[in-house]
Amino acid sequence: MQDHPTAPRDAAKKAETAAVAQPCAMVIFGAGGDLTKRLVVPALYNLVTAQRLPDGFRLIGVDRSLGTVEEWRDSLSSMMNEFVTKGGGEFEADHIDQTAWRWLTDRTTYVKGDLTDPQAYRQLKEHLARLDKTASNHLFYLAVPDRFFGTIVAALGEVDMVTEPDGQWRRVVIEKPFGHDLPSAKALNAEILKTLQEHQIYRMDHFLGKETVQNIMALRFANGLFEPLWNRQHIDHVQITVAETVGVERRGKFYEVTGALRDMVPNHLFQLLSLTAMEPPISFDAEAVRDKKAEAIQAIRPMTPRRAMKDAVRGQYDVGTVLGKQVQAYRHEPDVSPQSNTETYIAWKLQIDNWRWAGVPFYLRTGKYLKRRWTEIAIRFHQAPYTLFRGTHVERMNPNWMILRIQPDEGIALQFAAKRPGPTVTLDNVRMDFAYESYFAAAPNTGYETLLYDCMIGDATLFQRADNIEAGWRAVQPLLDLWVSSAPQHFPNYAAGSDGPAAADALLARDGRAWRPLE
Ligand code: BG6
């Protein structure tokens, strides 16, 4: 086995301040799957180049689709090379550092087995026992369809692999979707908590791995400048947009029973919402942060069916042109019913009933095949109290906005009015703009690096606790119930490549407001 490879300059800089993770054996269930190849392994490679993984790190793949460790390593290598030569994945690099790659593959082994077969877990247990003693902590990563979550956790318990011996840890990472409604999320929590303790469970939401999402807390709580303005006295409303230019691609089967609401809102959009709306935690300790995030979601005003009818809009894409390419309607996608009523778009006006936000609407929207890929949190401040520019050309003053650009073009902008140079008083909108890339030489990042590293050092701040998950489902459940019982009337109702359905514009127009354009 080799010593640590030489890290690239940026990664080395980062490593100066970051400790190496604790030695551990990381077991990936679903080793042959897409998630492992596209995100988990590339993120591990980035952690190697950043010198964050200890010599005592071991990677064990479990799957039934591949025969041998060589086969697994080859499939991973060809995927990594494909990222470099063809691009198009979350992992971006102009070459693979072969020393770093070998460092990782030298530590890689494989157990062939069926996830529903108890024998596979006995084999895995023996395999881990044979590994060298330095990797005595175990991280189990469930990169598998959600129907296996309960089965795997129970099976690990059966063979006694998750009891924590003195001084050693056992942790389980569970991917999204965690349940498909409130009862199923509660049932899954109850099921896995029979085997695991809460501190061992790392429920993943990959949005929390995005640097800009983590930066929301830094912006709010590391700056005296903004916090005094962060409330109903100064904020008129908030718009949270997660616009995608992808359709459902080959995920028709999954998407038909999921839809945009389940797929994006109680998880990703609520992460953005809770970080924006939460009260300051007493520390950055995982429990303190998660307490405040849960409270923000619990404060969402419960929806009655009448309110849900009025305050939520669903959409489904029709044929159209996205980024210059002609695409088909959702109902013609593979594995999708030609009469499908599944929504590919949702817009929702919600209220957070607490002291800070009373009367401030939060407008959320997300959809597939929209005009532009764009994720932002836009905070609109109140107008100045009165227009003192009487007798000038200024009739109306434009509002101030703070825009947190989550992706792409990550950064933060402040929009305000300035006097246009010249003898008459004329105001123009101007922007102060902070772009990440002009300040920081960003290390290559898939968004999974921080999350994996945090599991290895035992920091659960960026993971969902049971109550956070259940609060999210509880808030959307009335909408799920309503939509299942009442069919949409005008599906499809937006052209692929547009801003979304007209009803979503009407939702804001009713309040005298408008969505920020997706230009
Ligand atoms: C996933 C959803 O969780 O998040 C996808 O299942 C969605 O439908 C994706 O496209 C968006 O994540 P990102 O990181 O590409 O913005």
Side-chain angles (χ1 to χ4, degrees):
M1 250 173 231
Q2 306 172 33
D3 287 342
H4 256 298
T6 319
R9 193 175 53 87
D10 296 340
K13 243 194 259 159
K14 224 169 148 194
E16 278 166 19
T17 51
V20 167
Q22 290 170 15
C24 66
M26 176 171 168
V27 177
I28 306 185
F29 292 102
D34 234 33
L35 179 67
T36 302
K37 286 195 262 187
R38 297 183 67 85
L39 288 159
V40 182
V41 170
L44 287 173
Y45 163 82
N46 281 339
L47 285 173
V48 179
T49 62
Q51 295 190 322
R52 299 277 195 106
L53 295 188
D55 274 343
F57 177 78
R58 300 289 179 273
L59 181 64
I60 300 100
V62 182
D63 211 309
R64 61 169 186 189
S65 61
L66 302 159
T68 61
V69 66
E70 285 75 27
E71 232 178 276
W72 189 38
R73 284 186 197 141
D74 288 350
S75 82
L76 295 176
S77 300
S78 54
M79 191 72 172
M80 293 294 281
N81 289 328
E82 219 171 274
F83 284 138
V84 172
T85 50
K86 296 198 187 138
E90 284 82 354
F91 172 76
E92 287 170 24
D94 52 16
H95 74 287
I96 301 295
D97 175 339
Q98 288 308 325
T99 320
W101 183 242
R102 232 172 304 124
W103 188 96
L104 186 61
T105 49
D106 277 357
R107 286 164 173 77
T108 300
T109 50
Y110 181 74
V111 175
K112 184 177 165 67
D114 189 318
L115 300 177
T116 56
D117 176 6
Q119 177 58 18
Y121 298 87
R122 286 193 285 273
Q123 268 175 14
L124 176 64
K125 189 174 181 182
E126 284 163 21
H127 186 89
L128 287 174
R130 280 197 303 272
L131 286 182
D132 88 52
K133 294 277 172 294
T134 50
S136 57
N137 297 309
H138 299 160
L139 178 64
F140 300 102
Y141 196 108
L142 275 48
V144 295
D146 58 331
R147 63 180 185 280
F148 292 114
F149 294 165
T151 314
I152 296 176
V153 170
L156 289 172
E158 285 291 312
V159 290
D160 195 22
M161 285 176 80
V162 284
T163 316
E164 297 188 303
D166 261 358
Q168 294 169 18
W169 50 257
R170 304 284 178 262
R171 296 178 187 143
V172 178
V173 183
I174 302 187
E175 274 283 347
K176 165 182 173 281
F178 197 96
H180 52 90
D181 56 13
L182 181 59
S184 59
K186 278 179 153 179
L188 182 56
N189 272 328
E191 186 179 1
I192 61 177
L193 282 163
K194 278 188 213 151
T195 306
L196 299 165
Q197 296 179 54
E198 180 61 41
H199 77 267
Q200 297 179 281
I201 309 170
Y202 287 67
R203 299 178 192 79
M204 179 90 128
D205 182 321
H206 80 277
F207 259 51
L208 286 171
K210 295 182 194 287
E211 287 289 346
T212 35
V213 174
Q214 292 168 42
N215 190 46
I216 301 170
M217 277 208 284
L219 172 86
R220 289 192 54 197
F221 304 127
N223 295 294
L225 177 61
F226 304 121
E227 189 53 24
L229 304 179
W230 215 263
N231 55 49
R232 60 192 292 271
Q233 268 87 37
H234 301 280
I235 293 178
D236 174 74
H237 75 276
V238 178
Q239 295 185 15
I240 300 183
T241 299
V242 180
E244 298 192 272
T245 47
V246 289
V248 296
E249 301 176 309
R250 283 164 300 142
R251 301 161 77 212
K253 216 183 232 164
F254 159 80
Y255 207 83
E256 272 289 84
V257 291
T258 305
L261 173 58
R262 283 192 173 87
D263 190 33
M264 301 294 287
V265 178
N267 31 64
H268 306 328
L269 271 90
F270 278 6
Q271 294 302 341
L272 304 181
L273 175 71
S274 57
L275 289 167
T276 307
M278 70 194 267
E279 292 300 310
I282 53 164
S283 71
F284 272 156
D285 177 69
E287 297 317 317
V289 171
R290 299 192 298 179
D291 284 348
K292 295 300 171 195
K293 284 178 66 187
E295 276 172 22
I297 300 300
Q298 283 156 4
I300 294 175
R301 184 178 300 168
M303 273 186 300
T304 57
R306 232 180 104 231
R307 185 182 296 281
M309 289 280 237
K310 222 171 124 228
D311 289 349
V313 168
R314 55 185 150 166
Q316 188 192 76
Y317 62 79
D318 203 346
V319 287
T321 308
V322 183
L323 305 175
K325 211 176 117 219
Q326 180 78 23
V327 301
Q328 60 191 351
Y330 175 72
R331 288 179 175 182
H332 294 137
E333 298 280 16
D335 298 321
V336 169
S337 150
Q339 286 87 37
S340 173
N341 282 332
T342 299
E343 80 286 353
T344 60
Y345 177 99
I346 163 169
W348 181 12
K349 172 187 172 184
L350 58 83
Q351 302 280 349
I352 297 189
D353 282 340
N354 64 17
W355 202 260
R356 185 183 290 268
W357 296 115
V360 179
F362 283 73
Y363 300 98
L364 273 48
R365 65 176 159 165
T366 183
K368 300 271 181 212
Y369 270 161
L370 293 175
K371 187 184 283 169
R372 185 181 181 203
R373 176 169 177 256
W374 194 247
T375 297
E376 68 168 28
I377 300 166
I379 293 153
R380 206 205 77 202
F381 292 91
H382 288 307
Q383 301 273 15
Y386 89 111
T387 312
L388 54 71
F389 296 90
R390 267 183 308 226
T392 69
H393 291 93
V394 181
E395 284 162 14
R396 229 185 105 249
M397 291 195 300
N398 285 318
N400 298 136
W401 286 94
M402 178 191 265
I403 296 130
L404 281 60
R405 294 192 303 271
I406 306 295
Q407 66 185 18
D409 190 16
E410 292 80 359
I412 298 172
L414 266 178
Q415 182 180 303
F416 53 96
K419 179 185 167 296
R420 188 192 282 259
T424 56
V425 178
T426 319
L427 299 183
D428 247 346
N429 278 332
V430 295
R431 276 162 84 102
M432 278 194 326
D433 215 324
F434 151 68
Y436 264 76
E437 60 176 15
S438 47
Y439 274 79
F440 304 111
N445 196 328
T446 64
Y448 271 59
E449 291 79 0
T450 313
L451 297 174
L452 290 176
Y453 176 77
D454 283 358
C455 294
M456 294 179 207
I457 62 167
D459 182 350
T461 313
L462 299 177
F463 294 84
Q464 300 264 77
R465 223 171 38 192
D467 59 336
N468 296 60
I469 294 261
E470 290 177 18
W473 282 117
R474 190 168 293 112
V476 300
Q477 191 63 49
L479 206 46
L480 291 173
D481 294 342
L482 176 76
W483 285 359
V484 94
S485 62
S486 68
Q489 283 170 355
H490 305 292
F491 268 12
N493 61 352
Y494 71 96
S498 70
D499 279 352
D505 295 336
L507 178 72
L508 268 71
R510 194 177 84 196
D511 297 344
R513 300 185 173 110
W515 290 110
R516 289 170 43 76
L518 287 180
E519 309 285 347

